Amino acid sequence: GTNYASLDTNKFIAPTISFRALLDKNISLFGVYSPSAAFLTLDNFITQNRYLNIKSINNFFLSHSSNFKIAVKYQYGKYFEISLGAGYDKFNRFPYFEDKMNQGDFKIYTAVSVKKFESFLNFLFYPGPLGMFYGNITIQSIKDSNMNVIPYNPFLSTELVYGYNLNSRLGMKLVLNYDQNIYTQLNNKTKLNNYFNLSFNAEIGRASCRESVDLGGRRIIKKKNKKNCR
């Protein structure tokens, strides 16, 4: 296939290739080469960092000039599946935020010739009598042409989720997030403390109309069928 994007004088076109091979009854090999482009707006940047100085934000045309991923998946019937993979990505220009001038006053800057290498592990234990358990572990390196790590991109990122339905109307979910090695400056002189967050979610209502309340302060409401949610 082909990916094409255009914005003002910015144009992007690249071929895409993907494959899948069955190595064994339970083992599959996946691969994809898919350079792409995205148009980042104020909304995208504020979602990443709500403390950004709005005056410093301009729309950004982000192009993945090279993007390749490969993964091996092992699936054991209807019980669980595990995927292990790696990826490479290259950006001619890459936006990042930093409070260079005044602490807490974050502005958008641009790094050039950025390369990203990553390896990842994803797993899923399908829902059963003991609940559902899934998660992902990612190790990544995102560096500019001077081999500086791009700020606020953790070297190690982990999310583990356990969910259990007490009955058809009441469920719970326990979520663990952990990030490690997060630089705050492009010169890589300072780091944040490792990030650890454990949250509990209570879910109330039928599966097709379930309300989720995060005791950490967030509230999410999902309704698949409004007629059945009354």
Side-chain angles (χ1 to χ4, degrees), residues 31-151:
V32 59
Y33 175 77
S34 182
S36 61
F39 182 57
L40 304 182
T41 65
L42 171 65
D43 204 40
N44 298 114
F45 289 119
I46 292 297
T47 299
Q48 294 181 49
N49 184 349
R50 61 179 179 176
Y51 301 105
L52 279 174
N53 186 327
I54 296 179
K55 295 180 179 179
S56 74
I57 301 175
N58 293 311
N59 295 332
F60 195 96
F61 189 80
L62 179 67
S63 63
H64 304 244
S65 56
S66 182
N67 184 357
F68 177 75
K69 284 187 179 181
I70 189 169
V72 176
K73 184 176 79 170
Y74 175 78
Q75 182 173 357
Y76 186 72
K78 298 181 179 180
Y79 297 99
F80 69 88
E81 64 179 58
I82 299 176
S83 298
L84 179 66
Y88 168 76
D89 213 340
K90 183 179 180 181
F91 309 86
N92 295 327
R93 298 170 62 247
F94 190 88
Y96 70 94
F97 48 86
E98 186 178 337
D99 53 348
K100 288 183 179 180
M101 307 303 294
N102 299 301
Q103 186 175 3
D105 183 22
F106 290 92
K107 296 182 179 180
I108 293 290
Y109 300 92
T110 302
V112 296
S113 300
V114 173
K115 296 179 180 180
K116 174 183 177 180
F117 296 90
E118 68 172 347
S119 57
F120 53 87
L121 172 67
N122 302 324
F123 63 88
L124 167 63
F125 289 84
Y126 299 129
L130 299 179
M132 177 176 62
F133 181 48
Y134 61 93
N136 59 78
I137 301 172
T138 302
I139 296 176
Q140 64 178 5
S141 171
I142 307 178
K143 296 182 178 181
D144 67 4
S145 56
N146 295 317
M147 300 304 292
N148 294 314
V149 176
I150 302 300

